[in-house]
Tab-separated table of all heavy atoms in Angstrom:
chain	number	residue	atom	x	y	z
A	1	MET	N	21.774	150.953	63.363
A	1	MET	CA	22.027	149.517	63.406
A	1	MET	C	22.839	149.081	64.636
A	1	MET	O	23.877	149.767	64.849
A	1	MET	CB	22.784	149.050	62.110
A	1	MET	CG	22.785	147.564	61.877
A	1	MET	SD	21.207	146.947	61.354
A	1	MET	CE	21.544	146.644	59.673
A	2	ALA	N	22.396	148.177	65.408
A	2	ALA	CA	23.178	147.753	66.623
A	2	ALA	C	23.202	146.230	66.654
A	2	ALA	O	22.253	145.580	66.186
A	2	ALA	CB	22.593	148.366	67.854
A	3	LYS	N	24.225	145.759	67.217
A	3	LYS	CA	24.376	144.282	67.305
A	3	LYS	C	24.131	143.758	68.707
A	3	LYS	O	24.602	144.337	69.719
A	3	LYS	CB	25.888	143.942	66.971
A	3	LYS	CG	26.031	142.529	66.454
A	3	LYS	CD	27.404	142.306	65.904
A	3	LYS	CE	27.402	141.376	64.727
A	3	LYS	NZ	28.747	141.252	64.072
A	4	CYS	N	23.263	142.724	68.787
A	4	CYS	CA	22.932	142.173	70.114
A	4	CYS	C	24.175	141.505	70.733
A	4	CYS	O	24.823	140.731	70.047
A	4	CYS	CB	21.870	141.073	70.023
A	4	CYS	SG	21.485	140.259	71.421
A	5	PRO	N	24.557	141.917	71.965
A	5	PRO	CA	25.752	141.368	72.558
A	5	PRO	C	25.586	139.877	72.981
A	5	PRO	O	26.560	139.207	73.219
A	5	PRO	CB	26.034	142.204	73.772
A	5	PRO	CG	24.622	142.763	74.139
A	5	PRO	CD	23.897	142.906	72.754
A	6	LYS	N	24.314	139.413	73.069
A	6	LYS	CA	24.146	138.002	73.476
A	6	LYS	C	24.150	137.007	72.271
A	6	LYS	O	24.675	135.962	72.372
A	6	LYS	CB	22.857	137.891	74.264
A	6	LYS	CG	23.046	138.503	75.607
A	6	LYS	CD	21.662	138.493	76.357
A	6	LYS	CE	21.873	139.329	77.727
A	6	LYS	NZ	20.696	140.112	78.072
A	7	CYS	N	23.432	137.373	71.246
A	7	CYS	CA	23.333	136.485	70.106
A	7	CYS	C	23.958	136.980	68.769
A	7	CYS	O	24.057	136.243	67.746
A	7	CYS	CB	21.939	135.977	69.870
A	7	CYS	SG	20.790	137.345	69.421
A	8	GLY	N	24.399	138.214	68.797
A	8	GLY	CA	25.086	138.831	67.635
A	8	GLY	C	24.125	139.257	66.532
A	8	GLY	O	24.620	139.635	65.437
A	9	GLU	N	22.813	139.142	66.771
A	9	GLU	CA	21.921	139.585	65.679
A	9	GLU	C	21.914	141.134	65.614
A	9	GLU	O	22.038	141.802	66.553
A	9	GLU	CB	20.508	139.132	66.046
A	9	GLU	CG	19.512	139.418	64.880
A	9	GLU	CD	18.227	138.819	65.236
A	9	GLU	OE1	18.025	137.514	65.275
A	9	GLU	OE2	17.284	139.534	65.494
A	10	GLU	N	21.768	141.578	64.355
A	10	GLU	CA	21.732	143.020	64.110
A	10	GLU	C	20.303	143.488	64.128
A	10	GLU	O	19.426	142.936	63.494
A	10	GLU	CB	22.370	143.348	62.768
A	10	GLU	CG	23.921	143.092	62.922
A	10	GLU	CD	24.760	143.844	61.882
A	10	GLU	OE1	24.294	143.895	60.724
A	10	GLU	OE2	25.746	144.311	62.288
A	11	VAL	N	20.067	144.598	64.800
A	11	VAL	CA	18.756	145.188	64.950
A	11	VAL	C	18.763	146.585	64.282
A	11	VAL	O	19.647	147.417	64.628
A	11	VAL	CB	18.336	145.282	66.387
A	11	VAL	CG1	16.929	145.845	66.534
A	11	VAL	CG2	18.385	143.994	67.068
A	12	ALA	N	17.874	146.835	63.394
A	12	ALA	CA	17.959	148.053	62.588
A	12	ALA	C	17.410	149.291	63.443
A	12	ALA	O	18.011	150.328	63.353
A	12	ALA	CB	17.131	147.944	61.311
A	13	LYS	N	16.358	149.115	64.169
A	13	LYS	CA	15.706	150.266	64.786
A	13	LYS	C	15.484	150.089	66.273
A	13	LYS	O	15.090	149.024	66.671
A	13	LYS	CB	14.282	150.489	64.186
A	13	LYS	CG	14.366	151.189	62.766
A	13	LYS	CD	13.033	151.677	62.285
A	13	LYS	CE	12.774	153.090	62.840
A	13	LYS	NZ	11.416	153.559	62.346
A	14	PRO	N	15.854	151.130	66.995
A	14	PRO	CA	15.681	151.032	68.404
A	14	PRO	C	14.224	151.189	68.795
A	14	PRO	O	13.440	151.824	68.158
A	14	PRO	CB	16.504	152.250	68.950
A	14	PRO	CG	16.610	153.209	67.855
A	14	PRO	CD	16.491	152.394	66.609
A	15	ILE	N	13.824	150.602	69.939
A	15	ILE	CA	12.478	150.779	70.561
A	15	ILE	C	12.294	152.189	71.011
A	15	ILE	O	11.303	152.791	70.777
A	15	ILE	CB	12.235	149.799	71.710
A	15	ILE	CG1	12.387	148.385	71.220
A	15	ILE	CG2	10.896	150.038	72.358
A	15	ILE	CD1	12.557	147.391	72.441
A	16	LYS	N	13.314	152.767	71.683
A	16	LYS	CA	13.291	154.102	72.054
A	16	LYS	C	14.735	154.576	72.146
A	16	LYS	O	15.710	153.888	72.252
A	16	LYS	CB	12.574	154.242	73.378
A	16	LYS	CG	13.254	153.485	74.610
A	16	LYS	CD	12.606	153.829	75.868
A	16	LYS	CE	13.062	155.143	76.494
A	16	LYS	NZ	12.646	155.269	77.869
A	17	THR	N	14.835	155.950	72.032
A	17	THR	CA	16.132	156.583	72.211
A	17	THR	C	16.111	157.707	73.157
A	17	THR	O	15.037	158.215	73.413
A	17	THR	CB	16.607	157.207	70.814
A	17	THR	OG1	15.695	158.054	70.369
A	17	THR	CG2	16.749	156.101	69.764
A	18	TRP	N	17.194	158.062	73.726
A	18	TRP	CA	17.308	159.206	74.631
A	18	TRP	C	18.740	159.731	74.599
A	18	TRP	O	19.690	159.035	74.098
A	18	TRP	CB	16.848	158.914	76.045
A	18	TRP	CG	17.770	157.900	76.779
A	18	TRP	CD1	18.812	158.171	77.599
A	18	TRP	CD2	17.749	156.496	76.709
A	18	TRP	NE1	19.472	157.033	78.040
A	18	TRP	CE2	18.834	155.992	77.482
A	18	TRP	CE3	16.875	155.582	75.985
A	18	TRP	CZ2	19.010	154.616	77.654
A	18	TRP	CZ3	17.116	154.152	76.143
A	18	TRP	CH2	18.167	153.724	76.943
A	19	VAL	N	18.893	160.904	75.024
A	19	VAL	CA	20.242	161.484	74.976
A	19	VAL	C	20.911	161.467	76.425
A	19	VAL	O	20.270	161.875	77.400
A	19	VAL	CB	20.177	162.969	74.487
A	19	VAL	CG1	21.506	163.596	74.557
A	19	VAL	CG2	19.668	162.998	73.126
A	20	LEU	N	22.045	160.865	76.485
A	20	LEU	CA	22.728	160.781	77.721
A	20	LEU	C	23.781	161.881	77.700
A	20	LEU	O	24.706	161.896	76.887
A	20	LEU	CB	23.495	159.428	77.782
A	20	LEU	CG	24.004	158.944	79.078
A	20	LEU	CD1	22.816	158.701	80.098
A	20	LEU	CD2	24.773	157.631	78.969
A	21	ALA	N	23.600	162.860	78.604
A	21	ALA	CA	24.477	164.020	78.557
A	21	ALA	C	25.067	164.322	80.032
A	21	ALA	O	24.470	164.974	80.801
A	21	ALA	CB	23.650	165.209	78.053
A	22	PRO	N	26.304	163.819	80.205
A	22	PRO	CA	26.930	164.077	81.459
A	22	PRO	C	27.298	165.629	81.540
A	22	PRO	O	27.519	166.222	80.509
A	22	PRO	CB	28.267	163.282	81.363
A	22	PRO	CG	28.061	162.393	80.230
A	22	PRO	CD	27.067	162.991	79.303
A	23	LYS	N	27.302	166.096	82.668
A	23	LYS	CA	27.509	167.582	82.884
A	23	LYS	C	28.758	167.989	82.228
A	23	LYS	O	29.939	167.454	82.409
A	23	LYS	CB	27.534	167.851	84.334
A	23	LYS	CG	26.283	168.363	84.933
A	23	LYS	CD	26.382	168.777	86.379
A	23	LYS	CE	25.020	168.986	86.960
A	23	LYS	NZ	25.049	169.105	88.431
A	24	GLY	N	28.669	169.099	81.350
A	24	GLY	CA	29.848	169.663	80.767
A	24	GLY	C	30.368	168.861	79.530
A	24	GLY	O	31.401	169.212	79.010
A	25	ARG	N	29.628	167.808	79.217
A	25	ARG	CA	30.037	167.065	78.091
A	25	ARG	C	29.016	166.898	77.004
A	25	ARG	O	27.807	167.061	77.292
A	25	ARG	CB	30.531	165.626	78.541
A	25	ARG	CG	31.788	165.666	79.394
A	25	ARG	CD	32.076	164.312	79.956
A	25	ARG	NE	32.407	163.405	78.863
A	25	ARG	CZ	32.697	162.087	79.139
A	25	ARG	NH1	32.638	161.632	80.295
A	25	ARG	NH2	33.061	161.296	78.201
A	26	LYS	N	29.444	166.672	75.829
A	26	LYS	CA	28.540	166.524	74.685
A	26	LYS	C	27.628	165.296	74.855
A	26	LYS	O	28.175	164.207	75.239
A	26	LYS	CB	29.309	166.456	73.405
A	26	LYS	CG	28.500	167.003	72.228
A	26	LYS	CD	29.296	166.961	70.946
A	26	LYS	CE	28.404	166.945	69.772
A	26	LYS	NZ	29.075	166.485	68.552
A	27	GLY	N	26.363	165.408	74.556
A	27	GLY	CA	25.465	164.275	74.802
A	27	GLY	C	25.698	163.137	73.740
A	27	GLY	O	26.091	163.355	72.655
A	28	VAL	N	25.395	161.970	74.236
A	28	VAL	CA	25.524	160.818	73.379
A	28	VAL	C	24.090	160.193	73.212
A	28	VAL	O	23.385	160.116	74.191
A	28	VAL	CB	26.449	159.783	73.982
A	28	VAL	CG1	26.459	158.506	73.095
A	28	VAL	CG2	27.813	160.282	74.102
A	29	LYS	N	23.677	159.948	72.029
A	29	LYS	CA	22.318	159.338	71.839
A	29	LYS	C	22.402	157.831	72.033
A	29	LYS	O	23.152	157.102	71.419
A	29	LYS	CB	21.854	159.705	70.436
A	29	LYS	CG	20.349	159.565	70.275
A	29	LYS	CD	19.894	160.093	68.951
A	29	LYS	CE	18.435	160.007	68.763
A	29	LYS	NZ	18.102	160.304	67.285
A	30	ILE	N	21.559	157.398	72.964
A	30	ILE	CA	21.501	155.972	73.299
A	30	ILE	C	20.155	155.325	72.867
A	30	ILE	O	19.137	156.028	73.025
A	30	ILE	CB	21.635	155.751	74.868
A	30	ILE	CG1	22.911	156.416	75.394
A	30	ILE	CG2	21.572	154.337	75.277
A	30	ILE	CD1	24.154	155.750	74.943
A	31	GLY	N	20.213	154.200	72.304
A	31	GLY	CA	18.964	153.496	71.978
A	31	GLY	C	18.782	152.237	72.706
A	31	GLY	O	19.697	151.554	73.034
A	32	LEU	N	17.502	151.922	72.984
A	32	LEU	CA	17.094	150.653	73.511
A	32	LEU	C	16.622	149.744	72.406
A	32	LEU	O	15.711	150.119	71.672
A	32	LEU	CB	16.036	150.788	74.612
A	32	LEU	CG	15.561	149.490	75.297
A	32	LEU	CD1	16.672	148.898	76.140
A	32	LEU	CD2	14.312	149.695	76.149
A	33	PHE	N	17.355	148.564	72.263
A	33	PHE	CA	17.022	147.670	71.096
A	33	PHE	C	16.510	146.358	71.635
A	33	PHE	O	16.832	145.978	72.817
A	33	PHE	CB	18.269	147.446	70.363
A	33	PHE	CG	18.886	148.639	69.650
A	33	PHE	CD1	19.686	149.486	70.251
A	33	PHE	CD2	18.602	148.844	68.275
A	33	PHE	CE1	20.184	150.607	69.621
A	33	PHE	CE2	19.191	149.948	67.578
A	33	PHE	CZ	19.919	150.798	68.302
A	34	GLN	N	15.759	145.711	70.899
A	34	GLN	CA	15.295	144.342	71.215
A	34	GLN	C	15.562	143.433	69.888
A	34	GLN	O	15.072	143.779	68.875
A	34	GLN	CB	13.827	144.273	71.576
A	34	GLN	CG	13.476	142.839	72.125
A	34	GLN	CD	12.007	142.750	72.388
A	34	GLN	OE1	11.174	143.490	71.923
A	34	GLN	NE2	11.684	141.711	73.186
A	35	CYS	N	16.340	142.427	70.073
A	35	CYS	CA	16.482	141.528	68.949
A	35	CYS	C	15.325	140.541	68.835
A	35	CYS	O	14.524	140.428	69.714
A	35	CYS	CB	17.833	140.799	69.019
A	35	CYS	SG	17.844	139.479	70.225
A	36	SER	N	15.305	139.729	67.785
A	36	SER	CA	14.120	138.814	67.542
A	36	SER	C	14.213	137.613	68.558
A	36	SER	O	13.223	136.935	68.605
A	36	SER	CB	14.104	138.397	66.154
A	36	SER	OG	15.204	137.579	65.846
A	37	ASN	N	15.245	137.502	69.282
A	37	ASN	CA	15.351	136.401	70.288
A	37	ASN	C	14.967	136.967	71.686
A	37	ASN	O	14.983	136.281	72.670
A	37	ASN	CB	16.769	135.907	70.362
A	37	ASN	CG	17.168	135.207	69.106
A	37	ASN	OD1	16.494	134.261	68.644
A	37	ASN	ND2	18.300	135.562	68.499
A	38	GLY	N	14.477	138.183	71.723
A	38	GLY	CA	13.965	138.763	72.918
A	38	GLY	C	14.905	139.373	73.903
A	38	GLY	O	14.611	139.792	74.978
A	39	HIS	N	16.184	139.531	73.421
A	39	HIS	CA	17.173	140.174	74.330
A	39	HIS	C	16.988	141.729	74.171
A	39	HIS	O	16.899	142.248	73.053
A	39	HIS	CB	18.652	139.836	73.882
A	39	HIS	CG	18.872	138.353	73.810
A	39	HIS	ND1	19.442	137.749	72.756
A	39	HIS	CD2	18.611	137.361	74.701
A	39	HIS	CE1	19.458	136.415	72.944
A	39	HIS	NE2	18.979	136.248	74.099
A	40	TYR	N	17.066	142.343	75.287
A	40	TYR	CA	17.089	143.850	75.298
A	40	TYR	C	18.562	144.301	75.569
A	40	TYR	O	19.242	143.760	76.332
A	40	TYR	CB	16.190	144.428	76.462
A	40	TYR	CG	14.775	144.335	76.205
A	40	TYR	CD1	14.054	143.221	76.740
A	40	TYR	CD2	14.051	145.274	75.422
A	40	TYR	CE1	12.747	143.106	76.551
A	40	TYR	CE2	12.745	145.145	75.265
A	40	TYR	CZ	12.017	144.095	75.806
A	40	TYR	OH	10.673	143.951	75.612
A	41	PHE	N	18.920	145.343	74.858
A	41	PHE	CA	20.273	145.932	75.071
A	41	PHE	C	20.292	147.379	74.642
A	41	PHE	O	19.504	147.769	73.842
A	41	PHE	CB	21.390	145.102	74.341
A	41	PHE	CG	21.207	145.002	72.802
A	41	PHE	CD1	21.902	145.922	72.043
A	41	PHE	CD2	20.280	144.141	72.251
A	41	PHE	CE1	21.716	145.886	70.617
A	41	PHE	CE2	20.119	144.108	70.881
A	41	PHE	CZ	20.820	145.011	70.066
A	42	ARG	N	21.253	148.074	75.195
A	42	ARG	CA	21.417	149.418	74.903
A	42	ARG	C	22.621	149.627	74.035
A	42	ARG	O	23.609	148.937	74.263
A	42	ARG	CB	21.586	150.298	76.188
A	42	ARG	CG	20.288	150.489	76.915
A	42	ARG	CD	20.525	151.263	78.192
A	42	ARG	NE	21.334	150.488	79.103
A	42	ARG	CZ	20.816	149.846	80.147
A	42	ARG	NH1	19.642	149.803	80.425
A	42	ARG	NH2	21.665	149.151	80.899
A	43	ALA	N	22.525	150.548	73.072
A	43	ALA	CA	23.720	150.856	72.222
A	43	ALA	C	23.655	152.339	71.836
A	43	ALA	O	22.654	152.952	71.771
A	43	ALA	CB	23.713	149.931	71.025
A	44	LYS	N	24.797	152.755	71.502
A	44	LYS	CA	24.900	154.105	70.983
A	44	LYS	C	24.226	154.246	69.568
A	44	LYS	O	24.493	153.381	68.733
A	44	LYS	CB	26.416	154.591	70.975
A	44	LYS	CG	26.660	156.034	70.879
A	44	LYS	CD	28.028	156.371	71.177
A	44	LYS	CE	28.893	156.364	69.876
A	44	LYS	NZ	30.258	156.809	70.165
A	45	VAL	N	23.507	155.316	69.369
A	45	VAL	CA	22.899	155.453	68.081
A	45	VAL	C	23.647	156.563	67.292
A	45	VAL	O	23.996	157.564	67.899
A	45	VAL	CB	21.375	155.887	68.293
A	45	VAL	CG1	20.758	156.166	66.991
A	45	VAL	CG2	20.638	154.873	69.063
A	46	GLU	N	23.837	156.369	66.082
A	46	GLU	CA	24.610	157.326	65.200
A	46	GLU	C	23.730	158.565	64.980
A	46	GLU	O	22.599	158.428	64.660
A	46	GLU	CB	24.961	156.709	63.869
A	46	GLU	CG	25.796	155.346	64.002
A	46	GLU	CD	27.040	155.478	64.878
A	46	GLU	OE1	27.710	156.510	64.767
A	46	GLU	OE2	27.227	154.546	65.675
B	1	LIG	ZN1	19.869	138.666	70.940
């Protein structure tokens, strides 16, 4: 679940996810979300 930073709507499922892993650090899973108002945003996925 992620919240759109523009309109505050909550989006349950990301369109896609990937792992962001800086060298020597533990990776963070990032998701690309789209709310029903058409905003795209990235957020950390649990
Ligand atoms: Zn939105």
Side-chain angles (χ1 to χ4, degrees):
M1 195 73 104
K3 204 172 213 175
C4 175
K6 288 177 184 142
C7 66
E9 188 176 289
E10 294 201 316
V11 183
K13 284 191 88 177
I15 298 165
K16 62 175 276 189
T17 61
W18 66 94
V19 175
L20 196 65
K23 264 185 193 166
R25 292 175 66 183
K26 209 180 157 197
V28 176
K29 201 173 179 189
I30 303 292
L32 178 68
F33 295 82
Q34 186 185 22
C35 77
S36 66
N37 294 307
H39 307 131
Y40 287 96
F41 59 98
R42 285 178 294 262
K44 200 164 90 177
V45 177
E46 305 308 318

